[in-house]
Structure formats: structure tokens, C-alpha cells
Amino acid sequence: MAFEEKDQLATALSKQYEFLKGKRTTWERNWQEIAEYVLPHRSDFTAKRSKGEERLEMAFEGTAMRSLKRFASNIHNVFTPMGAEWFRLTTGHPYLDNQRHIALWLEDATRIIKHHISRPSSNFHSAIFQYYLEAGAFGTGIIFVEDIPGRGPHFRNFPLSDCVLAAGGEMEIDTVFRTYQQTAKDLISRFDPALLPEDVQKKASSEKMLEEYEVVHYVAPAWLMKEQLPPDWMFPYVSIHYMKEKKKVIKFGGYQNMPYICARWERSDREIYGRGPTWEILPDMRLINEVEKVYLKGVQKAIAPPMFVPDSGLLDPLDTTPDAINYYTVGIGGKDTIFPVPNVGRIEYAQDLNARLVTSIKEGYFLDVLELPGPIAPDGDVMRFSATEVSVRMRNRMPVLGPLLARQEAELLDPLIKRTAFILTQSGQLGEMPEELEEGFRVEYLNPISIAMRSGEVNSMVQLFEMIMPLAQIDQTIPMYFNTQQILKNTAEILQVPVSNLRTEEEVRAMVEKQENDKRMAQQQELAKTTAEVDESQARAAQTRAA
């Protein structure tokens, strides 16, 4: 591609960016308001703030802000828990999954992927937690999975305010414009200096090397630019970095799969961007802020009420602010005294309304489902739960989140794991894949929701065994009705026991045959010993008779 054509391309891409940016103006007004209430450090949609500037001027009450963080933390522990298995690779075909060499490769591949995801240098858990914050607040979040040579996959979360999205025919996100700031010295170190403007090259080696420029990263399906691509182009996705103000392409490349994972919490079929739980509780947040303002005014007046003071001939307008002084005319025969202004406000009304709104906000963030009740019951009694009761409560609550997890699996977790697996496969870290997996593999998620829903099968079986054990002592045929080997396999599958922890049927048969052979040999040795003893006894008896 000619150098001049790249400049024309940057101009065309800038027009596309401005068009998509203009279409989401209404979204940005709503996101700005939401961010000012619950996520102030991401409130850069319609108002650009200086670094370190105070951003809490809109929030008079912090329940929603704290509840969002608890929501993100709980969702993190449910969907992608640290230190626990939350996914595994599978073929999707029971016959292939039961093949020992395939099962072991899938288990090893799962362990390697989890290792690269969980290590601190990958930044996965920090990025995914920030994604849950944005998904809960705005309804849309972005994770960038980057392949760093020598280090493997690296995960980053980019603010929604920096990313403009476009969707395909099925409303899946396939185009991303991301703006970011780069200093002149960073541009020189990251990109080919020959493609950078001359003034940037000069500033990179001068005292102005820290001057920042706005750069746009564009990723989209390659077929959208097939006329501009060379005939031997092999990448399904095209990647272009260009300088926004100078309309200058500074890097041209491609990806085998989409590096930006753009997921929505929930969405309408005709909307590109999603909506999170905060959208539903936005009226409650507005109201609780107003209630808090009134409540604070009432408390101030109750603690430091306005005062009436004899005017001594001087009259002023009535001032009802806390600690205010109002002069009054005593009149003939009146008492010359100082007294507080009567306060007929009922602070408890504001407290009751505030408490209801706090509960509503917490329920909007599913905290009543994600968290067990606290140690204090509504009547003030201490609540103590047994381990069994805790397990039953969680099992009953978790299915409520099932529909929410389905979208996150489809739009977030599945492409994220497959992108990570692709990066590790390209670097040869997953080992040689069995021939049977040439068509690929599937990802199965082992989150507490699915485990809680299926653990009922295990509990039912345990209850059945406890009930029939006394009967089995009376009727010896009762245990024969149970296929114990199949029960073991099903239980291991439900409880997500690794394949390597269980022996194969061939190994078990070999162990049984060895035990039977050892038993036969022991019986033969015992028989031979008994026979020898009988022969010896008969010989002695014969000698005795002969004597």
C-alpha cells in the first residue's frame, strides 16, 4: 500500500469515527450522569476532567457507589473466581471426551490457560474487575487481549468513553475505534519513525518529548477494506493506528481474531450498546441524593437551629439557615429573650425513605441474591447458619443469575478464552493437539451457578443412600439395583473432579485381575501347604503302624 493512500485512509476512517461518535450522543449524556453517581473516575464522556480533579460533586450519598463495587466483586467471584476452577475445555462430544489421550490433553490445556490467566503479570483479574464495574454501571465493557512476545496474553480494560463501537448484521461488535494519548517519545519507540510526521520526530529528541498526541486504534473485519488490502492479505481483521489530528496512518497490520472483547450486560435487539443494572436504579439514585440533601438540612437545623433575637429597632429578612440570627420586634410588654426558631420538620420521614431507597439500590445490584443475609436479623436477633443451610440458601439463590451468565458466557468469557488459547497455541505452549480436535474445542464454565444447580442431583443420591441403608440390612438385593460405577462417574462430573484423578476402566480391570490372580495364587499356596501337611501326617501315621 502506498504511503499517500494511507493518509487518505486516515481521513476516511476519521469520518467514520465522527459519524459513529455522533450517533451515540444520547448514550453519552446518560453515561455521564451514571458515572458521576457511581463511577466518578470514568466520568469523561461529555466533560473532560483534569487529572486528579475532584469528581464527587454530584454524589451526596454513597450507597450506589459502594453497592456497585460489591456487585462487581461478587460477580467476579461467581463468574471468574480467583484461585478456583471456573472453566474447562471440552470437545462437546461425550465419546471424544471419554478418550483418555484427548481428556488428558484438554485437562493440560485448561491448566496452562488458567496459569497464564491467573498470573499477576497477565493483569487479568484487575482488568476483568474493572470490566464488571463498567458493565454494572453503563452496560458495556471492553477487554483488550494483547499478545506480548515472550510474555503471552496480557489483558487490559479500556474506558468506554475512549471506545466507539459498531456492530454487524447480528448486532455482534465487530468494529472498534479506540482513542488514546501518546507522547512524542513513546510514538518514536512504538512505531516506525519513517511513518511519523516530521514535527513528532523532532519533538521526540527535544525538550518537548513529553508533549501528547491523540492516536486512534481501528480494528474491523478485513472484508470492509478489501479494495485497499494487498492480494495476499491473510488476516481476518485489519488493525490501523493513525494520528487523529494529523490524519496520518502510523501502523498497518492485522489479527487472526478479534483482540477487543466487547460485551454487554443486557441490550435491546436494535441497540449496539448495552444497559447495566444502574440504568434501572437511576431514578432511585436521583431521589436518594435529593433526600440526603433534605435530611442534612434537617439535621443541621436540629443541631444548630436558627435563632430569634430582639431587633433593637433593626429588621432583616428571615434567615432559616443553621446558626442564623433573625431579629424580631419585642413590642409593648413583650419579653426581651433569645429563642430558637420552631422546627416542625420530621427527620424520621427522610430516614425511612432513605432506608427504603438503600434497600432498592442493593436489590438492583442483586446483592440480596449474591450475598447471604448479615449476622443480624430484622428483629435484632443474631442469625447463625449451619454449613448445610448456607449451601441450601446459595443453591436456591444462584439460579436467579443463570440468564445473566448466559450473555456473559457468549459475549465475554467464550471469546476471551478462545483468544487466549489461540495466542498460547501460536507460541506452542499448549503442546501438540490430538488429531480428533482439528475442528476445535468448546469451553465449559464451572461457575457456582451451574454447580449449585447440578449439586442437587448429588444431594438427592446421598439422601437416597441414607434412607435405604437400614433396608439393605434386611434385603440384601437392594444394593444390586444401583449402578455404582455410573454413579461414581456422574458424581465426579458434577463435582468437576479432574480426569487425571480417576483411573480408567482398563486400569481398574487390570487391578481387579491382579487381585484375583493374587487371590488364586494365595489359595493355591494354601492348598499346597495343606496337602503337604496331610501327606506328612499320613507318612508319620504309616511309619507308626509299621513300627
Side-chain angles (χ1 to χ4, degrees):
M1 183 180 298
F3 186 77
E4 292 76 16
E5 291 179 317
K6 289 185 179 181
D7 290 335
Q8 296 175 4
L9 179 59
T11 302
L13 293 177
S14 294
K15 293 180 179 179
Q16 292 183 28
Y17 171 83
E18 295 300 333
F19 173 75
L20 294 174
K21 182 77 170 175
K23 288 181 63 176
R24 74 174 202 175
T25 304
T26 304
W27 288 96
E28 290 186 342
R29 286 199 297 266
N30 293 322
W31 292 335
Q32 181 69 26
E33 182 182 9
I34 289 173
E36 289 175 348
Y37 281 128
V38 298
L39 212 59
H41 68 283
R42 291 295 173 93
S43 58
D44 295 313
F45 292 97
T46 60
K48 297 300 181 182
R49 309 293 188 95
S50 301
K51 295 179 181 179
E53 183 180 347
E54 170 64 44
R55 299 188 177 206
L56 295 174
E57 62 271 9
M58 283 287 292
F60 284 83
E61 211 276 343
T63 296
M65 202 178 304
R66 293 188 295 270
S67 297
L68 175 62
K69 287 183 172 60
R70 288 167 58 187
F71 162 82
S73 179
N74 280 285
I75 290 296
H76 188 187
N77 291 331
V78 170
F79 290 174
T80 52
M82 297 178 62
E85 302 292 337
W86 54 273
F87 73 92
R88 69 176 180 180
L89 303 185
T90 177
T91 63
H93 303 284
Y95 173 76
L96 293 177
D97 286 339
N98 292 329
Q99 299 294 316
R100 183 71 173 178
H101 68 290
I102 296 178
L104 290 177
W105 186 90
L106 293 172
E107 182 181 331
D108 289 340
T110 301
R111 185 167 51 251
I112 293 171
I113 294 173
K114 183 179 181 297
H115 165 73
H116 282 274
I117 285 178
S118 301
R119 59 180 184 169
S121 60
S122 73
N123 195 49
F124 172 78
H125 288 291
S126 297
I128 202 71
F129 178 74
Q130 190 64 47
Y131 161 80
Y132 291 135
L133 285 175
E134 291 209 345
F138 312 126
T140 306
I142 296 97
I143 296 286
F144 182 70
V145 187
E146 184 179 10
D147 183 9
I148 300 181
R151 291 176 54 186
H154 184 261
F155 304 86
R156 299 173 64 187
N157 167 259
F158 291 124
L160 181 59
S161 58
D162 293 346
C163 300
V164 176
L165 312 178
E170 300 298 326
M171 298 307 292
E172 77 284 357
I173 304 299
D174 63 358
T175 301
V176 176
F177 288 87
R178 177 177 67 89
T179 60
Y180 62 99
Q181 300 289 329
Q182 287 277 271
T183 62
K185 71 179 185 64
D186 290 336
L187 288 172
I188 288 291
S189 64
R190 288 192 57 192
F191 303 102
D192 183 0
L195 299 179
L196 296 173
E198 292 184 6
D199 61 329
V200 175
Q201 299 181 37
K202 293 178 181 178
K203 289 179 180 179
S205 57
S206 67
E207 66 278 3
K208 296 183 178 180
M209 65 174 60
L210 298 181
E211 184 174 328
E212 291 186 335
Y213 296 88
E214 195 167 16
V215 182
V216 179
H217 185 204
Y218 168 79
V219 177
W223 63 267
L224 294 175
M225 303 181 59
K226 59 183 179 180
E227 296 181 358
Q228 291 89 355
L229 298 176
D232 58 348
W233 185 262
M234 300 295 293
F235 296 105
Y237 289 88
V238 64
S239 169
I240 301 173
H241 293 258
Y242 66 92
M243 301 186 69
K244 186 176 180 181
E245 297 297 330
K246 297 182 177 295
K247 305 293 189 296
K248 192 78 167 179
V249 172
I250 56 179
K251 187 176 181 179
F252 200 99
Y255 290 104
Q256 290 291 346
N257 42 40
M258 185 60 163
Y260 287 97
I261 312 300
C262 306
R264 284 75 58 93
W265 184 258
E266 60 178 330
R267 69 169 182 85
S268 169
D269 291 338
R270 290 171 291 183
E271 294 178 340
I272 295 176
Y273 297 96
R275 298 171 186 264
T278 306
W279 285 76
E280 297 181 3
I281 63 174
L282 186 57
D284 294 328
M285 292 192 302
R286 291 168 177 158
L287 180 56
I288 198 172
N289 268 271
E290 296 301 320
V291 170
E292 190 68 15
K293 293 178 187 178
V294 175
Y295 174 72
L296 291 176
K297 291 179 181 178
V299 171
Q300 285 180 311
K301 290 181 180 181
I303 297 175
M307 304 298 293
F308 275 125
V309 179
D311 65 342
S312 300
L314 179 64
L315 294 177
D316 289 320
L318 184 65
D319 188 353
T320 60
T321 59
D323 282 332
I325 297 177
N326 294 279
Y327 295 96
Y328 71 96
T329 302
V330 177
I332 301 175
K335 294 182 179 180
D336 191 1
T337 60
I338 298 175
F339 59 92
V341 175
N343 186 0
V344 296
R346 301 293 297 272
I347 298 177
E348 60 270 21
Y349 290 167
Q351 291 174 328
D352 292 342
L353 180 55
N354 186 289
R356 290 199 298 269
L357 290 172
V358 167
T359 301
S360 177
I361 289 173
K362 290 181 178 179
E363 290 177 352
Y365 283 122
F366 305 99
L367 297 185
D368 58 324
V369 176
L370 294 166
E371 299 177 350
L372 286 173
I376 304 299
D379 58 0
D381 291 338
V382 177
M383 301 175 65
R384 295 182 176 89
F385 300 135
S386 65
T388 303
E389 187 175 0
V390 170
S391 177
V392 172
R393 284 172 175 265
M394 293 303 293
R395 186 169 67 248
N396 293 338
R397 289 163 179 256
M398 282 300 175
V400 177
L401 299 175
L404 304 177
L405 177 63
R407 175 170 291 279
Q408 298 307 303
E409 287 183 355
E411 293 198 353
L412 171 68
L413 302 179
D414 202 60
L416 186 146
I417 295 298
K418 290 183 177 179
R419 166 71 177 164
T420 304
F422 172 80
I423 293 173
L424 296 175
T425 301
Q426 292 297 106
S427 60
Q429 298 188 56
L430 293 187
E432 185 177 356
M433 184 181 297
E435 295 180 357
E436 294 86 344
L437 297 180
E438 291 182 355
E439 296 183 0
F441 49 78
R442 296 173 56 187
V443 183
E444 181 179 343
Y445 298 97
L446 316 178
N447 55 79
I449 299 176
S450 58
I451 295 176
M453 295 178 69
R454 296 202 61 189
S455 62
E457 302 176 23
V458 178
N459 294 333
S460 299
M461 186 60 64
V462 171
Q463 292 175 4
L464 179 60
F465 279 137
E466 291 176 350
M467 184 179 65
I468 67 172
M469 286 301 293
L471 300 177
Q473 297 177 1
I474 301 174
D475 186 352
Q476 302 295 327
T477 64
I478 288 180
M480 299 180 183
Y481 286 92
F482 293 94
N483 186 346
T484 54
Q485 294 182 4
Q486 191 62 41
I487 291 174
L488 171 64
K489 294 178 181 178
N490 292 343
T491 304
E493 179 187 357
I494 293 172
L495 299 180
Q496 311 301 339
V497 177
V499 177
S500 58
N501 289 6
L502 300 177
R503 292 189 174 96
T504 63
E505 295 182 2
E506 292 76 9
E507 292 174 334
V508 173
R509 283 197 296 266
M511 292 177 64
V512 171
E513 291 177 0
K514 184 177 183 301
Q515 290 177 354
E516 293 177 349
N517 292 334
D518 292 343
K519 184 178 180 179
R520 283 196 297 268
M521 291 181 63
Q523 291 175 346
Q524 292 173 358
Q525 291 175 357
E526 185 66 23
L527 179 62
K529 181 180 178 181
T530 303
T531 303
E533 291 177 352
V534 170
D535 292 342
E536 184 180 356
S537 176
Q538 291 176 349
R540 284 199 300 268
Q543 292 176 359
T544 302
R545 288 194 298 268

